Amino acid sequence: MSGDSAVGFDLTGKLAVVTGARRGIGLALATALAHAGADIIGVSAQLETGGSAVEQAVREAGREFTALPCDFADRQAVARLARTLGELEHPVDILINNAGTIARAPAAEHSDADWDHVLTVDLTSQFQLTREIGRGMLARGSGKVIFTASLLSFQGGINVPGYAAAKSGIAGLTRALANEWAGRGVNVNAIVPGYIATDNTRALREDPARNAAILERIPAGRWGRPQDLGGLAVFLASPASDYVHGALIPVDGGWLGR
């Protein structure tokens, strides 16, 4: 990278696909990439085809936005999404795998249906979509793939065995794909959010005992905000990260360093 170092973070002319873009972390990541210059395709199961919060944020940043609803629990729907993305005039430069779900129940009460649903949405569909989009990136010799991992990619959590298993799988998948694709011009990395104030963590924040225990463990002394992840997403999507491969980078207020 030469000249002004800010050039390394410029995403002008790039097309980014952000899954799970309707709210929370996905909305924040799409917004950050748009402000860095990328046009955005937002994908979520219940994403409105017009007038969504993510569309408004992207357009306010001066970038183009396209909505593609997709149910990540449906493998055929994911296959259709991949075909649609593969047929675009402008190829996908950046793929943010952020779609996810969670089911909370003690392991002894965690149903097969919940297990299958969480693993399909949080792991299987992520691989399926990345495999298909990754082929085009490999053919062009360039591309950025960013997964949303979790603290539970490193820890077991409580009452979320399916989610912990899926996010541990995302850690392994990030490294496995990086091993194969790094030498072919495609970067594969993962953001590791800490305890972020989103719908997925509402049950924890509304439980006084759990909320207090979590905050006591976070050196920063607060829950994270979705926008706290935006800067890292821009870095991993940009030329500034061209020599970063297979990394799982925490944004956790210091939780893992405790």
Side-chain angles (χ1 to χ4, degrees):
M1 188 167 59
S2 61
D4 186 349
S5 61
V7 174
F9 297 88
D10 185 7
L11 301 181
T12 301
K14 301 296 185 181
L15 176 63
V17 172
V18 181
T19 72
R22 184 170 179 264
R23 59 189 179 184
I25 290 174
L27 169 59
L29 298 184
T31 302
L33 296 185
H35 278 283
D39 294 324
I40 305 295
I41 295 176
V43 186
S44 286
Q46 299 179 14
L47 183 61
E48 302 91 339
T49 55
S52 65
V54 63
E55 177 177 6
Q56 180 179 348
V58 170
R59 295 200 183 280
E60 286 178 353
R63 309 312 309 170
E64 294 298 317
F65 178 81
T66 302
L68 292 177
C70 179
D71 181 0
F72 284 88
D74 181 345
R75 295 182 70 169
Q76 295 304 313
V78 176
R80 290 192 295 271
L81 170 65
R83 286 195 296 270
T84 297
L85 295 174
E87 293 169 355
L88 295 174
E89 182 177 352
H90 190 303
V92 176
D93 300 296
I94 302 157
L95 173 61
I96 308 286
N97 286 301
N98 174 70
T101 190
I102 195 166
R104 298 185 184 277
E109 302 166 16
H110 201 79
S111 70
D112 289 349
D114 280 347
W115 175 273
D116 290 345
H117 180 71
V118 171
L119 267 290
T120 298
V121 173
D122 291 7
L123 182 59
T124 301
S125 291
Q126 312 302 314
F127 171 68
Q128 183 185 3
L129 182 61
T130 303
R131 179 190 62 203
E132 299 304 312
I133 300 304
R135 286 199 190 105
M137 292 179 172
L138 293 168
R140 297 189 301 276
S142 67
K144 303 281 186 172
V145 176
I146 304 166
F147 289 97
T148 299
S150 168
L151 293 180
L152 300 196
S153 298
F154 304 103
Q155 301 174 329
I158 299 171
N159 295 335
V160 286
Y163 185 82
K167 290 301 186 178
S168 295
I170 287 295
L173 182 59
T174 298
R175 297 182 180 112
L177 294 179
N179 286 342
E180 293 191 34
W181 295 359
R184 300 177 65 183
V186 178
N187 297 73
V188 184
N189 295 289
I191 297 171
V192 183
Y195 283 92
I196 308 297
T198 66
D199 288 347
N200 272 358
T201 60
R202 177 167 298 163
L204 299 177
R205 287 180 285 118
E206 292 179 349
D207 181 328
R210 289 297 306 281
N211 184 59
I214 288 166
L215 284 174
E216 184 179 1
R217 167 71 188 266
I218 300 173
R222 67 170 175 86
W223 283 76
R225 301 179 294 260
Q227 55 266 39
D228 289 327
L229 306 169
L232 179 56
V234 171
F235 168 67
L236 292 176
S238 75
S241 66
D242 279 353
Y243 199 59
V244 180
H245 296 277
L248 289 95
I249 305 176
V251 184
D252 64 355
W255 174 280
L256 288 174
R258 186 66 177 265

